[in-house]
Amino acid sequence: MERLTIGEVLKPQGIRGEIKIKTFTDTPEVVKEFGVVYIDDKEYKILSFRVGTDGSAYVGLRGVPDRNTAELLRGKKIEGNRADAPELEEGQYYIVDIIGLSCETQDGEFLGTVKSIVNLSSDVYTIEKAGKSILFPAVKGVIVKVDLENKKVILNKAIFDEIAVI
């Protein structure tokens, strides 16, 4: 079954095995909708979930009874089954679906292949062309269209040229 990376364990929280996580979803609450998550391919049922004032999520997992066990998960990625993922609205995409797509201008000029997307104040894309990495933020207007069917991200060349970091 295909999985999506939905977060990362930041640290243990308290002494009862709760972990603080950074979510890779639009809102932290999406993580609890999965019900079951995977860390290092081990399945964990979500027992408790809350969102902190800083936007981080705090999660209690079955099989993580104390701080020492939670400490072993620090820095690990959290995955969920794609089948459990909530449906996205039009114009929204899962990062895993964009990784590997070709970035092109509206005129068909190849700019690179999407290698990673980091969620900061806006998504920052890293594309690669001829062994060189190019970064650009997904600011308004730069992405014209995401065409999953043809495996392309169409970019506005004028905006891309202004914001891209080589």
PDB file of all heavy atoms in Angstrom, residues 41-59:
ATOM      1  N   ASP A  41       8.400   1.854   9.277  1.00  0.00           N
ATOM      2  CA  ASP A  41       7.553   0.728   8.841  1.00  0.00           C
ATOM      3  C   ASP A  41       6.821   0.018   9.969  1.00  0.00           C
ATOM      4  O   ASP A  41       6.210  -1.028   9.763  1.00  0.00           O
ATOM      5  CB  ASP A  41       8.357  -0.299   8.021  1.00  0.00           C
ATOM      6  CG  ASP A  41       8.650   0.200   6.620  1.00  0.00           C
ATOM      7  OD1 ASP A  41       7.831   0.954   6.073  1.00  0.00           O
ATOM      8  OD2 ASP A  41       9.706  -0.177   6.080  1.00  0.00           O
ATOM      9  N   LYS A  42       6.879   0.536  11.180  1.00  0.00           N
ATOM     10  CA  LYS A  42       6.125  -0.047  12.288  1.00  0.00           C
ATOM     11  C   LYS A  42       4.815   0.721  12.430  1.00  0.00           C
ATOM     12  O   LYS A  42       4.793   1.946  12.424  1.00  0.00           O
ATOM     13  CB  LYS A  42       6.928   0.024  13.591  1.00  0.00           C
ATOM     14  CG  LYS A  42       6.214  -0.632  14.747  1.00  0.00           C
ATOM     15  CD  LYS A  42       7.075  -0.683  15.994  1.00  0.00           C
ATOM     16  CE  LYS A  42       6.274  -1.338  17.112  1.00  0.00           C
ATOM     17  NZ  LYS A  42       6.969  -1.290  18.383  1.00  0.00           N
ATOM     18  N   GLU A  43       3.724  -0.015  12.571  1.00  0.00           N
ATOM     19  CA  GLU A  43       2.393   0.587  12.656  1.00  0.00           C
ATOM     20  C   GLU A  43       2.089   1.048  14.085  1.00  0.00           C
ATOM     21  O   GLU A  43       2.354   0.323  15.041  1.00  0.00           O
ATOM     22  CB  GLU A  43       1.349  -0.446  12.224  1.00  0.00           C
ATOM     23  CG  GLU A  43      -0.067   0.077  12.227  1.00  0.00           C
ATOM     24  CD  GLU A  43      -1.060  -0.961  11.725  1.00  0.00           C
ATOM     25  OE1 GLU A  43      -0.929  -1.421  10.576  1.00  0.00           O
ATOM     26  OE2 GLU A  43      -1.959  -1.319  12.513  1.00  0.00           O
ATOM     27  N   TYR A  44       1.539   2.264  14.188  1.00  0.00           N
ATOM     28  CA  TYR A  44       1.125   2.826  15.477  1.00  0.00           C
ATOM     29  C   TYR A  44      -0.277   3.389  15.340  1.00  0.00           C
ATOM     30  O   TYR A  44      -0.550   4.160  14.425  1.00  0.00           O
ATOM     31  CB  TYR A  44       2.050   3.970  15.914  1.00  0.00           C
ATOM     32  CG  TYR A  44       3.469   3.564  16.213  1.00  0.00           C
ATOM     33  CD1 TYR A  44       4.440   3.626  15.219  1.00  0.00           C
ATOM     34  CD2 TYR A  44       3.837   3.140  17.486  1.00  0.00           C
ATOM     35  CE1 TYR A  44       5.751   3.265  15.498  1.00  0.00           C
ATOM     36  CE2 TYR A  44       5.146   2.788  17.765  1.00  0.00           C
ATOM     37  CZ  TYR A  44       6.099   2.845  16.765  1.00  0.00           C
ATOM     38  OH  TYR A  44       7.396   2.494  17.031  1.00  0.00           O
ATOM     39  N   LYS A  45      -1.144   3.036  16.259  1.00  0.00           N
ATOM     40  CA  LYS A  45      -2.495   3.609  16.301  1.00  0.00           C
ATOM     41  C   LYS A  45      -2.430   4.922  17.080  1.00  0.00           C
ATOM     42  O   LYS A  45      -1.800   4.992  18.129  1.00  0.00           O
ATOM     43  CB  LYS A  45      -3.465   2.647  16.978  1.00  0.00           C
ATOM     44  CG  LYS A  45      -4.902   3.150  17.033  1.00  0.00           C
ATOM     45  CD  LYS A  45      -5.803   2.086  17.618  1.00  0.00           C
ATOM     46  CE  LYS A  45      -7.262   2.414  17.673  1.00  0.00           C
ATOM     47  NZ  LYS A  45      -7.772   3.657  17.336  1.00  0.00           N
ATOM     48  N   ILE A  46      -3.069   5.956  16.537  1.00  0.00           N
ATOM     49  CA  ILE A  46      -3.112   7.245  17.232  1.00  0.00           C
ATOM     50  C   ILE A  46      -4.126   7.153  18.363  1.00  0.00           C
ATOM     51  O   ILE A  46      -5.305   6.883  18.130  1.00  0.00           O
ATOM     52  CB  ILE A  46      -3.488   8.391  16.258  1.00  0.00           C
ATOM     53  CG1 ILE A  46      -2.394   8.559  15.196  1.00  0.00           C
ATOM     54  CG2 ILE A  46      -3.703   9.701  17.022  1.00  0.00           C
ATOM     55  CD1 ILE A  46      -2.714   9.575  14.119  1.00  0.00           C
ATOM     56  N   LEU A  47      -3.659   7.365  19.590  1.00  0.00           N
ATOM     57  CA  LEU A  47      -4.534   7.301  20.760  1.00  0.00           C
ATOM     58  C   LEU A  47      -5.009   8.685  21.192  1.00  0.00           C
ATOM     59  O   LEU A  47      -6.127   8.837  21.687  1.00  0.00           O
ATOM     60  CB  LEU A  47      -3.801   6.635  21.936  1.00  0.00           C
ATOM     61  CG  LEU A  47      -3.353   5.195  21.722  1.00  0.00           C
ATOM     62  CD1 LEU A  47      -2.565   4.705  22.934  1.00  0.00           C
ATOM     63  CD2 LEU A  47      -4.566   4.306  21.471  1.00  0.00           C
ATOM     64  N   SER A  48      -4.144   9.689  21.040  1.00  0.00           N
ATOM     65  CA  SER A  48      -4.520  11.051  21.413  1.00  0.00           C
ATOM     66  C   SER A  48      -3.874  12.019  20.451  1.00  0.00           C
ATOM     67  O   SER A  48      -2.831  11.723  19.846  1.00  0.00           O
ATOM     68  CB  SER A  48      -4.090  11.363  22.849  1.00  0.00           C
ATOM     69  OG  SER A  48      -2.679  11.334  22.954  1.00  0.00           O
ATOM     70  N   PHE A  49      -4.498  13.184  20.304  1.00  0.00           N
ATOM     71  CA  PHE A  49      -4.001  14.192  19.378  1.00  0.00           C
ATOM     72  C   PHE A  49      -4.446  15.556  19.851  1.00  0.00           C
ATOM     73  O   PHE A  49      -5.605  15.749  20.212  1.00  0.00           O
ATOM     74  CB  PHE A  49      -4.558  13.928  17.973  1.00  0.00           C
ATOM     75  CG  PHE A  49      -4.034  14.896  16.950  1.00  0.00           C
ATOM     76  CD1 PHE A  49      -2.908  14.593  16.210  1.00  0.00           C
ATOM     77  CD2 PHE A  49      -4.662  16.112  16.738  1.00  0.00           C
ATOM     78  CE1 PHE A  49      -2.413  15.492  15.282  1.00  0.00           C
ATOM     79  CE2 PHE A  49      -4.163  17.020  15.814  1.00  0.00           C
ATOM     80  CZ  PHE A  49      -3.042  16.702  15.082  1.00  0.00           C
ATOM     81  N   ARG A  50      -3.501  16.515  19.851  1.00  0.00           N
ATOM     82  CA  ARG A  50      -3.854  17.896  20.161  1.00  0.00           C
ATOM     83  C   ARG A  50      -2.887  18.808  19.425  1.00  0.00           C
ATOM     84  O   ARG A  50      -1.797  18.394  19.043  1.00  0.00           O
ATOM     85  CB  ARG A  50      -3.822  18.151  21.665  1.00  0.00           C
ATOM     86  CG  ARG A  50      -2.466  18.003  22.316  1.00  0.00           C
ATOM     87  CD  ARG A  50      -2.524  18.105  23.855  1.00  0.00           C
ATOM     88  NE  ARG A  50      -1.246  17.813  24.449  1.00  0.00           N
ATOM     89  CZ  ARG A  50      -0.288  18.701  24.665  1.00  0.00           C
ATOM     90  NH1 ARG A  50      -0.474  19.967  24.349  1.00  0.00           N
ATOM     91  NH2 ARG A  50       0.865  18.351  25.209  1.00  0.00           N
ATOM     92  N   VAL A  51      -3.319  20.049  19.210  1.00  0.00           N
ATOM     93  CA  VAL A  51      -2.489  21.034  18.527  1.00  0.00           C
ATOM     94  C   VAL A  51      -2.044  22.072  19.547  1.00  0.00           C
ATOM     95  O   VAL A  51      -2.865  22.609  20.296  1.00  0.00           O
ATOM     96  CB  VAL A  51      -3.257  21.714  17.371  1.00  0.00           C
ATOM     97  CG1 VAL A  51      -2.390  22.780  16.705  1.00  0.00           C
ATOM     98  CG2 VAL A  51      -3.706  20.683  16.344  1.00  0.00           C
ATOM     99  N   GLY A  52      -0.742  22.360  19.582  1.00  0.00           N
ATOM    100  CA  GLY A  52      -0.192  23.359  20.494  1.00  0.00           C
ATOM    101  C   GLY A  52      -0.352  24.760  19.948  1.00  0.00           C
ATOM    102  O   GLY A  52      -0.721  24.958  18.778  1.00  0.00           O
ATOM    103  N   THR A  53      -0.062  25.734  20.764  1.00  0.00           N
ATOM    104  CA  THR A  53      -0.202  27.137  20.364  1.00  0.00           C
ATOM    105  C   THR A  53       0.775  27.513  19.254  1.00  0.00           C
ATOM    106  O   THR A  53       0.536  28.465  18.522  1.00  0.00           O
ATOM    107  CB  THR A  53       0.016  28.073  21.574  1.00  0.00           C
ATOM    108  OG1 THR A  53       1.297  27.782  22.145  1.00  0.00           O
ATOM    109  CG2 THR A  53      -1.073  27.887  22.614  1.00  0.00           C
ATOM    110  N   ASP A  54       1.870  26.759  19.095  1.00  0.00           N
ATOM    111  CA  ASP A  54       2.852  27.052  18.047  1.00  0.00           C
ATOM    112  C   ASP A  54       2.539  26.343  16.734  1.00  0.00           C
ATOM    113  O   ASP A  54       3.299  26.421  15.781  1.00  0.00           O
ATOM    114  CB  ASP A  54       4.257  26.678  18.513  1.00  0.00           C
ATOM    115  CG  ASP A  54       4.419  25.187  18.773  1.00  0.00           C
ATOM    116  OD1 ASP A  54       3.418  24.443  18.755  1.00  0.00           O
ATOM    117  OD2 ASP A  54       5.569  24.756  19.019  1.00  0.00           O
ATOM    118  N   GLY A  55       1.405  25.623  16.672  1.00  0.00           N
ATOM    119  CA  GLY A  55       1.015  24.917  15.455  1.00  0.00           C
ATOM    120  C   GLY A  55       1.557  23.505  15.366  1.00  0.00           C
ATOM    121  O   GLY A  55       1.229  22.779  14.438  1.00  0.00           O
ATOM    122  N   SER A  56       2.382  23.121  16.319  1.00  0.00           N
ATOM    123  CA  SER A  56       2.876  21.743  16.340  1.00  0.00           C
ATOM    124  C   SER A  56       1.775  20.827  16.855  1.00  0.00           C
ATOM    125  O   SER A  56       0.891  21.249  17.587  1.00  0.00           O
ATOM    126  CB  SER A  56       4.091  21.610  17.259  1.00  0.00           C
ATOM    127  OG  SER A  56       5.172  22.337  16.762  1.00  0.00           O
ATOM    128  N   ALA A  57       1.871  19.565  16.486  1.00  0.00           N
ATOM    129  CA  ALA A  57       0.904  18.586  16.952  1.00  0.00           C
ATOM    130  C   ALA A  57       1.560  17.718  18.022  1.00  0.00           C
ATOM    131  O   ALA A  57       2.763  17.449  17.976  1.00  0.00           O
ATOM    132  CB  ALA A  57       0.426  17.724  15.794  1.00  0.00           C
ATOM    133  N   TYR A  58       0.765  17.309  18.987  1.00  0.00           N
ATOM    134  CA  TYR A  58       1.213  16.415  20.053  1.00  0.00           C
ATOM    135  C   TYR A  58       0.386  15.143  19.928  1.00  0.00           C
ATOM    136  O   TYR A  58      -0.841  15.193  19.926  1.00  0.00           O
ATOM    137  CB  TYR A  58       1.028  17.077  21.417  1.00  0.00           C
ATOM    138  CG  TYR A  58       1.873  18.318  21.552  1.00  0.00           C
ATOM    139  CD1 TYR A  58       1.392  19.562  21.160  1.00  0.00           C
ATOM    140  CD2 TYR A  58       3.177  18.245  22.043  1.00  0.00           C
ATOM    141  CE1 TYR A  58       2.175  20.703  21.265  1.00  0.00           C
ATOM    142  CE2 TYR A  58       3.965  19.372  22.155  1.00  0.00           C
ATOM    143  CZ  TYR A  58       3.466  20.598  21.759  1.00  0.00           C
ATOM    144  OH  TYR A  58       4.238  21.719  21.858  1.00  0.00           O
ATOM    145  N   VAL A  59       1.089  14.019  19.813  1.00  0.00           N
ATOM    146  CA  VAL A  59       0.424  12.762  19.506  1.00  0.00           C
ATOM    147  C   VAL A  59       0.815  11.692  20.514  1.00  0.00           C
ATOM    148  O   VAL A  59       1.992  11.548  20.863  1.00  0.00           O
ATOM    149  CB  VAL A  59       0.807  12.292  18.081  1.00  0.00           C
ATOM    150  CG1 VAL A  59       0.077  11.011  17.711  1.00  0.00           C
ATOM    151  CG2 VAL A  59       0.533  13.377  17.054  1.00  0.00           C
TER     152      VAL A  59
END
